[in-house]
Amino acid sequence: MDILAPILISIIAASTPLLFAAIGELVVEKSGVLNLGVEGMMLGGAVIAFIISVETGNSALAIVAGAAMGAMMAGLFAVLTLGLLANQVATGLALTLFGIGLSALLGQGYVGTPLTALPKLNIPGLTDIPVLGPVVFGQDVLVYLSFVVTGLVAWFLYRTRAGLVLRSVGENPHAAHAIGFPVIRIRLFAVLFGGAMAGLGGAYLSLSYTPMWAEEMSAGRGWIALALVVFATWRPGRVVLGAYLFGGLTLAQLHLQGMGSSAIPSQFLNMVPYIATIVVLVLISRDATRIRMNAPASIGKVFHPDG
Amino acid sequence: MTKLTRRSFSALTLAAGAAAAFPARAADPLKVGFIYVGPVGDFGWSYQHDQGRLAIEQELGDRVKTSFVESVPEGADADRVITQLARSGHKLIFTTSFGYMEPTNKVAKNFPDVMFEHATGYMRADNVATYAARFYEGRYVAGILAGRLSKTNKIGYIGSIPIPEVIRGINAFTHSARKINPAIEVTPIWVNEWYNPGKEADAAKALIDQGADIILQHTDSPAPVQTAEERGVLCVGQASNMERFGPTAHMTAIVDHWAPYYVERTKAVLDGTWTSGDVWGGFNSGMVEMSPYNKNLPEAVVAEAKAAEQAIHDGKLHPFSGPIKNQAGEVAIADGATAPDGELLGMNWYVEGVNGKVPG
Amino acid sequence: MIALERRPNSSRLWLYATPVLAVFLTVLSGAVLFSLLGFNAIEALTAYFISPLRDSYGLGELTIKATPLAIIAIGLAIGFRANVWNIGAEGQLTLGAITGGGLALLFYGAEGPWLPPLMLIGGMVGGAAWAAIPAFLRTRFNANEILVSLMLTYVAGLLLSYLVTGPWKDPMGFGFPRTRMFGDEALLPTLFAGSRMHIGFPIALVTVAAAWFLIARSFIGFQIKVVGLTPPAAGYAGFSNAWIIWATLLTSGALAGLAGAIEVAGPIGQLTPSISPGYGFTAIIVAFLGRLHPLGILFAALLMALSYIGGESAQIELGLPLAVTGVFQGMLLFFLLASDVLVHYRIKLRPAREGV
């Protein structure tokens, strides 16, 4: 069984950045906004977290800075889409282009700089339990934070009044506005939160998963995170499922290759996570009414009180 | 020589027009252009080529002026960027990825007075030279370390894209390791990308979880080195010295060192002695280098590796000298024979000891 | 407090003035950006916007780069108008390249003038078939087309990689992952000597005209508009949502596939693992920059193409790193997208009340 724990730990590492970015985007979309700039914000968070960590040696500060950078880039998106009513889909894509360039610019002096990974939790006694110990009690702070955040988001959306308001803004902003809710301000907070989470996902990449900075190191994970929100049918619990399914399948196909099952060309094994995600989505989408209940009705549409 | 067909005629007038637009005076520095497939900040393939460009600037100073375009996708864009470089007065252009082969040769026809250097390709012309490095020589030396130091007899090998260069590296490494320890098995995992730090790390983890105690990589990021360090196994870096990413794990790295070739070819253009040709340089050309061996390695093993390095350098040892068996156990390269370059160039079979089959 | 007030009618003036304003603002802030980074702002902006347009060669290159963007964006815009979110045009392009290019390989040595048109049709069929998967899964199983089309993009890329490293590999190519070069008669004819400009651009123009007619004049254009605005109304009007999903996804898939076939039969001339530098994603921006209108899309595609080519010439002429050109491109898009607000809204100063 000594192979199980490292495999589980690898899956957690592969899934955590996806979980952060996807749970943030879920809140954004629940408020009725579609921000396709996740990839750009992840890179922004990754580069700033790395720079701060190298310069100050303070990983807590680095994590906060990564989140702040993601939020700042999301703020830019908010100014354009919420303030100036620009098209959300196009602005999000432009934010990704911008983020790739900006992160490369900021990180120029940091390519090839090594960094010690975030420390892992180590509780004598507990961490030593076989399999369970290192998996449950041997992770770094961001992994635990990803679960805390997911729990909080689920609680916030479905158990608090503010969460209800946010969802109603996503459902019908005009009705929410008529009742007197500040639609734009609520969406702004959601967008900033989404940016901060994408920034944390990026910070996890550059501080823990592969502690280094290299241009475009997110390698498309922002896009996968976007797909996972849809996969999860906008429910926080399913985001965890999706992120871990995707991370797990990525690892599984690599393991399959390693076990010499290369009678199947590697390209087809590389396809497995993508195809499996589609298949599972089809299975859970068949009940049309439940999807409609969760998909925010006003997603992607510009809101202005004049209608 | 090309015939003066209508097409090449119009191309010639086009080139002449471009030359007239950028008159070259004797005192003008030679403009040298580079086109990279990745960002210079990838700390891998493109980064190393850019180090070569910087070496030209440092060495030749005012006599040259270099420029580069990074992250140029292979395909229709490459054609345009190479043309732009040629049209803006660059007289020597390095195109540094295999996928630029057809665009380089297409553009070269239109600019007969511009000299092109294409990395890792096989199409040449009067003004198109090709160059590549015999990285497999480095892989052979790495095989000695693995043959001596593996305890589990399982080696993990992270493959990028299954092209002959990567296959050749796997074979040189495996053959070398098994000469020392015939129980060695090498397992490749293909990520089908050159550069994806997270996925490379995941592949390294999968290989280690399956019992590999040495990790080789033919992908560009230092992520596998970090993973090896974290998991307490050994590894060999790729493209540049990656020791700082794994101070105890990193045994050595097979370094791409383009500077000597780039400086030499630029000088040749300055002196008017440039001619087309094909250079496939190994240790003896300086294009391939082993980065300093880790100080924790047993001295005898390092000495053995260095001796092999020297023997290859002096031409006394060829990594693909027989007998070498293929996976079916048949002799593919006979005793006393060495594989000719043509055979190596298109290598698409595994030697005995590699698990799995060649993709595609 | 500054507030936006909706105009009763879209402003004709601002419709045309906003792009000018956006370009002006971009130039201004670009000048600041370049100066801050220590580059000569005038030279940088010249390299960006003037150098690529200086001669017929440059203009030809512009059309080559704009052609796939315009063709794909036209298809996407038709879907976006009906709220059908095809994010996977990149994958449909790849499939079009595979099927179109596959025909060139199939008839290698037996080419004729009939082959390029057949390849283009083959590309359209391939792209449409790939888009049929999200259409089927959406209409039959209610699976969201954003996820399905996006995931299929990765699958298409790996499929292409398999084909060119495996069964379709050039037998004379020393094992490198690419097919043989297509025969000369499998290639799209170029229009002028000394330029790579090929027949793809006229095809893009025809596509623009056809889309214009489709959207403005035809019944299906009307149906798309109705579905996009108020889905339930479509039900009352007697045509089904499923039909619109199929029609728009197949159209956008076919056009993306056409673009893929044009790329391989035009400037590339063979299949390699990387056919497109992300045209399928960039085309989404183009579609919206062009306000989902065919003519607007044509201009947006040309502008986007210019920003890429200008970025290259800025790298060559001034040594501007790609990172800077990426930031600049992002700024250009931000200004263009933000200035749209003036078309539909006017800025009013009014006393502060509820924060809007």
Side-chain angles (χ1 to χ4, degrees):
Chain A
M1 288 306 273
D2 54 342
I3 189 172
L4 189 59
I7 289 178
L8 289 174
I9 290 169
S10 309
I11 292 174
I12 291 169
S15 311
T16 300
L18 299 174
L19 180 53
F20 268 122
I23 200 74
E25 178 69 12
L26 181 138
V27 173
V28 178
E29 294 188 13
K30 271 290 185 190
S31 79
V33 179
L34 182 61
N35 183 355
L36 296 187
V38 180
E39 179 86 0
M41 299 188 295
M42 278 182 102
L43 283 168
V47 74
I48 291 297
F50 187 82
I51 291 173
I52 297 294
S53 184
V54 168
E55 296 301 335
T56 69
N58 183 336
S59 35
L61 194 62
I63 291 169
V64 172
M69 181 66 177
M72 267 166 59
M73 293 174 72
L76 186 61
F77 173 86
V79 167
L80 289 161
T81 57
L82 303 177
L84 297 169
L85 312 181
N87 178 279
Q88 295 172 7
V89 173
T91 308
L93 286 164
L95 184 64
T96 289
L97 288 179
F98 180 77
I100 291 172
L102 183 66
S103 60
L105 196 60
L106 295 171
Q108 262 171 0
Y110 294 88
V111 170
T113 308
L115 180 72
T116 314
L118 283 181
K120 305 256 195 276
L121 186 69
N122 188 2
I123 306 171
L126 286 179
T127 311
D128 303 331
I129 303 170
V131 184
L132 207 62
V135 173
V136 179
F137 301 106
Q139 303 295 336
D140 60 49
V141 58
L142 281 174
V143 172
Y144 298 115
L145 188 61
S146 71
F147 281 95
V148 172
V149 166
T150 307
L152 283 176
V153 164
W155 170 78
F156 168 81
L157 284 177
Y158 296 102
R159 293 279 181 274
T160 68
R161 197 185 111 84
L164 179 69
V165 171
L166 183 133
R167 283 188 290 138
S168 67
V169 164
E171 277 308 311
N172 190 337
H174 294 285
H177 176 74
I179 303 170
F181 294 128
V183 171
I184 300 292
R185 205 181 307 158
I186 290 167
R187 287 188 166 178
L188 172 67
F189 284 130
V191 167
L192 292 178
F193 175 78
M197 289 306 108
L200 282 183
Y204 183 78
L205 291 178
S206 67
L207 298 179
S208 174
Y209 192 17
T210 53
M212 60 175 174
W213 166 249
E215 287 181 33
E216 295 176 47
M217 68 183 293
S218 54
R221 284 180 181 76
W223 290 99
I224 302 299
L226 277 165
L228 289 177
V229 179
V230 180
F231 173 87
T233 59
W234 293 272
R235 288 154 59 121
R238 284 185 177 171
V239 168
V240 182
L241 177 77
Y244 275 77
L245 178 76
F246 196 89
L249 286 170
T250 305
L251 258 298
Q253 66 92 2
L254 293 171
H255 271 279
L256 270 175
Q257 283 197 50
M259 289 188 294
S261 62
S262 56
I264 308 167
S266 64
Q267 288 93 346
F268 289 105
L269 289 172
N270 280 204
M271 287 177 194
V272 165
Y274 307 108
I275 293 178
T277 311
I278 294 176
V279 171
V280 177
L281 177 78
V282 166
L283 293 177
I284 57 182
S285 302
R286 285 162 68 190
D287 186 355
T289 49
R290 296 183 58 175
I291 304 285
R292 285 216 190 91
M293 270 163 49
N294 287 300
S298 76
I299 188 162
K301 291 191 185 119
V302 159
F303 168 76
H304 187 268
D306 296 354
Chain B
M1 288 301 294
T2 46
K3 276 197 300 184
L4 205 65
T5 59
R6 200 166 67 95
R7 202 167 150 190
S8 61
F9 177 72
S10 61
L12 280 173
T13 51
L14 183 81
F22 300 92
R25 280 171 288 120
D28 276 348
L30 173 74
K31 287 174 87 175
V32 185
F34 286 81
I35 153 170
Y36 303 137
V37 70
V40 288
D42 68 357
F43 201 62
W45 181 255
S46 296
Y47 179 84
Q48 287 302 123
H49 284 288
D50 202 51
Q51 296 299 307
R53 179 185 69 85
L54 293 171
I56 295 177
E57 288 209 326
Q58 189 148 34
E59 191 98 352
L60 300 170
D62 289 346
R63 300 175 66 198
V64 293
K65 185 176 178 306
T66 68
S67 32
F68 67 91
V69 187
E70 52 183 319
S71 287
V72 179
E74 299 171 344
D77 287 328
D79 209 316
R80 178 183 60 250
V81 173
I82 299 168
T83 304
Q84 276 200 15
L85 284 169
R87 281 164 55 89
S88 54
H90 294 81
K91 290 293 168 219
L92 174 62
I93 298 172
F94 290 89
T95 58
T96 63
S97 178
F98 173 75
Y100 298 149
M101 181 168 69
E102 290 85 359
T104 302
N105 281 277
K106 266 191 239 171
V107 175
K109 274 189 203 133
N110 299 339
F111 294 91
D113 62 335
V114 175
M115 281 142 277
F116 295 85
E117 293 271 353
H118 175 239
T120 71
Y122 54 81
M123 284 166 69
R124 277 172 288 279
D126 282 345
N127 60 337
V128 182
T130 52
Y131 63 100
R134 296 178 188 268
F135 295 120
Y136 65 87
E137 295 182 354
R139 304 264 163 200
Y140 184 91
V141 174
I144 293 172
L145 303 178
R148 290 283 172 222
L149 298 173
S150 176
K151 296 189 178 71
T152 63
N153 296 334
K154 287 182 181 170
I155 315 276
Y157 206 114
I158 305 166
S160 46
I161 316 266
I163 60 173
E165 188 199 321
V166 183
I167 310 274
R168 200 160 57 227
I170 294 174
N171 284 345
F173 171 81
T174 307
H175 172 58
S176 158
R178 282 169 62 95
K179 273 212 296 207
I180 291 169
N181 175 0
I184 292 269
E185 281 182 37
V186 177
T187 303
I189 286 186
W190 298 94
V191 292
N192 283 304
E193 287 178 81
W194 284 105
Y195 172 76
N196 182 337
K199 211 162 162 188
E200 293 170 46
D202 288 345
K205 289 173 190 169
L207 288 162
I208 295 167
D209 291 345
Q210 294 188 2
D213 63 350
I214 294 178
I215 296 293
L216 271 278
Q217 63 176 101
H218 207 131
T219 50
D220 277 349
S221 92
V225 175
Q226 288 179 321
T227 306
E229 180 81 10
E230 190 190 322
R231 292 293 189 87
V233 304
L234 297 170
C235 67
V236 176
Q238 150 100 353
S240 60
N241 183 349
M242 295 176 169
E243 185 162 9
R244 57 195 128 147
F245 288 95
T248 52
H250 188 271
M251 298 191 288
T252 179
I254 302 155
V255 177
D256 314 2
H257 192 49
W258 304 107
Y261 182 75
Y262 285 2
V263 171
E264 181 200 318
R265 296 300 276 174
T266 309
K267 275 186 184 155
V269 173
L270 286 169
D271 302 344
T273 57
W274 190 96
T275 51
S276 173
D278 177 36
V279 169
W280 199 11
F283 286 134
N284 60 2
S285 70
M287 269 191 203
V288 185
E289 280 179 353
M290 306 305 286
S291 72
Y293 294 90
N294 197 303
K295 58 184 186 316
N296 300 327
L297 295 178
E299 268 173 46
V301 176
V302 171
E304 193 179 352
K306 283 188 173 160
E309 226 181 294
Q310 191 61 44
I312 295 172
H313 179 277
D314 298 342
K316 290 177 187 146
L317 170 65
H318 191 289
F320 284 101
S321 49
I324 298 179
K325 288 181 181 168
N326 63 16
Q327 282 178 303
E330 304 149 357
V331 175
I333 298 168
D335 198 357
T338 54
D341 280 357
E343 155 89 34
L344 293 179
L345 213 54
M347 193 166 246
N348 66 347
W349 52 275
Y350 282 146
V351 299
E352 194 173 39
V354 183
N355 287 326
K357 89 187 218 304
V358 175
Chain C
M1 152 108 211
I2 299 168
L4 297 171
E5 187 183 279
R6 194 168 180 90
R7 298 176 193 277
N9 295 306
S10 305
S11 161
R12 268 299 212 220
L13 169 70
W14 282 110
L15 186 63
Y16 299 108
T18 52
V20 180
L21 177 70
V23 168
F24 175 73
L25 287 173
T26 312
V27 166
L28 210 64
S29 50
V32 174
L33 172 78
F34 296 137
S35 307
L36 280 178
L37 292 167
F39 294 96
N40 181 327
I42 306 276
E43 281 179 22
L45 290 166
T46 310
Y48 238 98
F49 293 111
I50 312 292
S51 297
L53 303 177
R54 251 198 283 256
D55 51 25
S56 63
Y57 171 81
L59 292 171
E61 289 301 310
L62 192 68
T63 64
I64 289 178
K65 187 91 185 164
T67 295
L69 291 174
I71 293 178
I72 301 168
I74 291 281
L76 292 178
I78 292 172
F80 293 163
R81 279 170 174 260
N83 281 332
V84 177
W85 296 100
N86 179 4
I87 305 293
E90 182 78 2
Q92 292 139 23
L93 178 154
T94 304
L95 247 287
I98 290 174
T99 49
L103 287 167
L105 297 174
L106 183 66
F107 292 108
Y108 186 81
E111 294 93 349
W114 46 270
L115 185 54
L118 186 69
M119 287 168 68
L120 297 188
I121 294 168
M124 292 177 78
V125 171
W130 209 240
I133 301 172
F136 173 73
L137 296 179
R138 164 79 195 267
T139 51
R140 179 77 178 73
F141 297 107
N142 204 33
N144 188 299
E145 72 277 10
I146 294 181
L147 180 137
V148 178
S149 60
L150 183 61
M151 289 295 179
L152 284 176
T153 296
Y154 297 94
V155 176
L158 288 164
L159 183 64
L160 175 63
S161 160
Y162 165 72
L163 289 171
V164 296
T165 52
W168 290 4
K169 189 163 58 180
D170 179 1
M172 307 300 286
F174 295 96
F176 280 96
R178 55 231 299 110
T179 67
R180 53 170 36 132
M181 296 296 291
F182 301 155
D184 279 346
E185 280 186 296
L187 301 179
L188 297 180
T190 49
L191 297 178
F192 309 105
S195 165
R196 292 200 295 157
M197 185 177 182
H198 56 73
I199 200 148
F201 191 61
I203 294 175
L205 295 179
V206 170
T207 312
V208 167
W212 199 349
F213 175 80
L214 179 89
I215 290 168
R217 293 268 175 274
S218 73
F219 182 55
I220 180 172
F222 171 70
Q223 289 177 320
I224 287 169
K225 205 180 280 175
V226 172
V227 171
L229 290 175
T230 43
Y236 301 130
F239 47 86
S240 78
N241 219 344
W243 144 242
I244 293 293
I245 290 169
W246 272 103
T248 53
L249 272 171
L250 290 185
T251 308
S252 54
L255 287 176
L258 174 65
I262 286 176
E263 284 302 287
V264 295
I268 301 180
Q270 69 186 142
L271 286 176
T272 70
S274 55
I275 293 298
S276 155
Y279 285 136
F281 294 108
T282 311
I284 300 173
I285 301 181
V286 169
F288 285 107
L289 272 188
R291 299 179 180 130
L292 304 184
H293 186 282
L295 207 57
I297 285 171
L298 182 63
F299 284 115
L302 287 166
L303 182 69
M304 203 70 197
L306 178 63
S307 82
Y308 279 106
I309 298 178
E312 290 161 8
S313 64
Q315 287 186 67
I316 293 172
E317 290 176 24
L318 296 165
L320 229 64
L322 181 71
V324 178
T325 70
V327 169
F328 183 63
Q329 193 181 33
M331 276 173 25
L332 170 70
L333 294 171
F334 289 151
F335 282 120
L336 279 169
L337 293 164
S339 60
D340 261 13
V341 71
L342 296 169
V343 178
H344 302 292
Y345 299 86
R346 65 172 64 115
I347 296 171
K348 275 254 164 146
L349 289 172
R350 62 182 175 202
R353 47 175 193 96
E354 205 258 44
V356 171

